[in-house]
Amino acid sequence: MRSPRRCSRNGCPRQAVATLTYVYNESTAVVGPLAAFAEPHTYDLCEPHARSLTAPRGWEVVRHEGEFEPPPPTTDDLVALAEAVREAARPAPRPPDEADVDPHTGQQTGRRGHLRVIPPSY
């Protein structure tokens, strides 16, 4: 299952809720809501890091004034969850027992419920 995007700050385990982008030619750091996709040259931040970000002297910080909310689940997340549930519901493979061995050839036979698959004899 795909994990949610995490804060880009070293050692921070929190979920990202904001994206930091630098506009170098204007000496500006922009902190806004989390971008739909992770892009090169942008940084995902958790709420505490997004709120406390400072910029170098001479730079301006433009910060989103509203609430930073976690992103809604994507279809990828929902598909991954459905696959995990489907995998957990699968019956565990059972080890072969003596009834799965052909008494004439001694070969293993496949078994599904009350049916038996007997390998062809050549």
Side-chain angles (χ1 to χ4, degrees), residues 92-108:
R94 64 178 183 83
D97 58 16
E98 293 175 15
D100 292 340
V101 177
D102 185 343
H104 301 290
T105 64
Q107 292 182 336
Q108 176 111 10

Side-chain angles (χ1 to χ4, degrees), residues 17-18 31-33 47 50-51 63-69:
V17 295
V31 180
E47 186 162 4
R51 298 255 181 240
R63 196 180 320 265
H64 173 69
E65 291 300 323
E67 292 295 316
F68 291 113
E69 296 189 21

Side-chain angles (χ1 to χ4, degrees), residues 74-93:
T74 65
T75 55
D76 290 345
D77 295 335
L78 296 176
V79 168
L81 179 60
E83 288 174 0
V85 168
R86 200 173 299 125
E87 181 68 28
R90 278 195 190 123

Side-chain angles (χ1 to χ4, degrees), residues 9 22 95 98 103 119:
R9 296 290 299 261
Y22 291 108
E98 293 175 15

Side-chain angles (χ1 to χ4, degrees), residues 19-53:
T19 297
L20 166 65
T21 306
Y22 291 108
V23 182
Y24 292 98
N25 61 351
E26 296 179 15
S27 300
T28 304
V30 180
V31 180
L34 187 64
F37 300 100
E39 297 285 335
H41 309 294
T42 64
Y43 303 90
D44 294 337
L45 298 174
C46 63
E47 186 162 4
H49 285 126
R51 298 255 181 240
S52 66
L53 180 86

